[in-house]
Amino acid sequence: MKTVLITGCSSGYGLETARHFHAQGWRVVATMRTPHADLLPDDSRMLVLPLDVTRPDSIAAALERSGPIDVLINNAGLGLFGAFEATPMATVREIFDTNTFGTMAMTQAVIPQLRARGAGVIVNVTSSATLAPMPLVAAYTASKTAIEGFTASLAHELATFDIAVKLVEPGYAPTTHFAANGEARMRGLITEAYAPFAQRFFDALSTVQAVTREQDVAEAAWRAANDTTGRLHYPAGADAVALAARRVA
């Protein structure tokens, strides 16, 4: 039985991915800052653990309790909408601490056990904002684009140990409540000068029909974890797939 450790499982992509891997018969270590075991199946193949990816002690404690793993899915992340001009640098650093440095820290902590075993997969969840620029998410996009470059380079570095490193790139997913989850962080980031532009952008988003569902991301993560072809990019959701095809073209 294989084991997957997934970060950021309290809602959205992480929660659905944990459920999906469990349904496929895997042992799942579902981690989140504040554990909610009632969200997931209660059986011997599901272990819910506290984990804050910005704290080395929390990472170490979670890995000690999880036992050996076969796949790491770095899904934990913070969202941010707002005009970059109005975004405090402290907020930018907060976004990078989780989205970028948290992913790197988890990856670095897991590599030794995978290298010793000569097998394993690391899946990093980014965003379709890395495939096509969007306004009002400059800091968020930067944090995810950094992980795209990090993952592409690391894939070469770890291939010599038969460790695969993959990217899952979700599209726009309105049901994940991306903005609502960071409401306090985003308060005041749409200033009066940017309000008309922001309203036009939000109006345009509301008409988008090809969007991403949580299940799309779970299925993409599953494919990435099990694909042995050496593929790096796994767009998730109809909109992300279309953007990825345009990038290739």
Side-chain angles (χ1 to χ4, degrees):
M1 185 188 305
K2 288 190 174 182
T3 296
V4 59
L5 187 151
I6 309 166
T7 67
C9 290
S10 61
S11 64
Y13 304 150
L15 178 59
E16 190 61 32
T17 301
R19 290 169 173 164
H20 187 78
F21 274 77
H22 182 269
Q24 305 306 316
W26 282 44
R27 176 176 178 263
V28 176
V29 182
T31 71
M32 55 195 84
R33 288 190 179 187
T34 304
H36 298 285
D38 58 310
L39 297 173
L40 291 158
D42 181 15
D43 67 29
S44 61
R45 288 191 295 105
M46 181 66 69
L47 176 63
V48 179
L49 294 179
L51 173 60
D52 181 342
V53 299
T54 68
R55 291 175 44 207
D57 60 329
S58 182
I59 293 173
L63 290 178
E64 183 176 355
R65 292 183 61 187
S66 73
I69 68 171
D70 299 283
V71 176
L72 167 66
I73 299 180
N74 283 309
N75 166 77
L78 300 178
L80 188 71
F81 267 123
F84 181 72
E85 177 187 347
T87 305
M89 286 307 300
T91 301
V92 175
R93 291 187 180 94
E94 181 185 1
I95 295 299
F96 269 78
D97 274 346
T98 295
N99 295 2
T100 308
F101 301 128
T103 292
M104 290 180 172
M106 280 298 303
T107 299
Q108 191 174 65
V110 164
I111 287 173
Q113 63 166 287
L114 302 184
R115 179 174 51 77
R117 199 158 64 243
V121 183
I122 298 167
V123 180
N124 295 329
V125 179
T126 58
S127 168
S128 64
T130 65
L131 303 174
M134 286 177 57
L136 303 175
V137 288
Y140 171 80
T141 300
S143 73
K144 292 295 191 177
T145 301
I147 292 301
E148 293 263 328
F150 165 71
T151 304
S153 178
L154 192 65
H156 292 293
E157 190 172 321
L158 296 185
T160 189
F161 304 110
D162 292 323
I163 302 170
V165 191
K166 314 285 188 132
L167 284 163
V168 168
E169 299 155 323
Y172 170 57
T175 56
T176 61
H177 308 296
F178 175 89
N181 290 343
E183 188 175 351
R185 189 184 312 113
M186 301 182 208
R187 193 171 296 123
L189 300 190
I190 303 295
T191 60
E192 184 177 353
Y194 288 89
F197 171 75
Q199 189 58 57
R200 291 195 298 274
F201 175 65
F202 293 142
D203 288 345
L205 275 184
S206 69
T207 66
V208 172
Q209 295 187 5
V211 297
T212 297
R213 305 165 303 149
E214 288 89 338
Q215 185 63 26
D216 296 328
V217 180
E219 290 171 357
W222 171 258
R223 290 195 302 274
N226 290 280
D227 186 0
T228 60
T229 65
R231 177 181 174 185
L232 176 64
H233 297 272
Y234 297 78
D239 51 337
V241 170
L243 288 172
R246 196 178 309 164
R247 179 179 64 178
V248 172

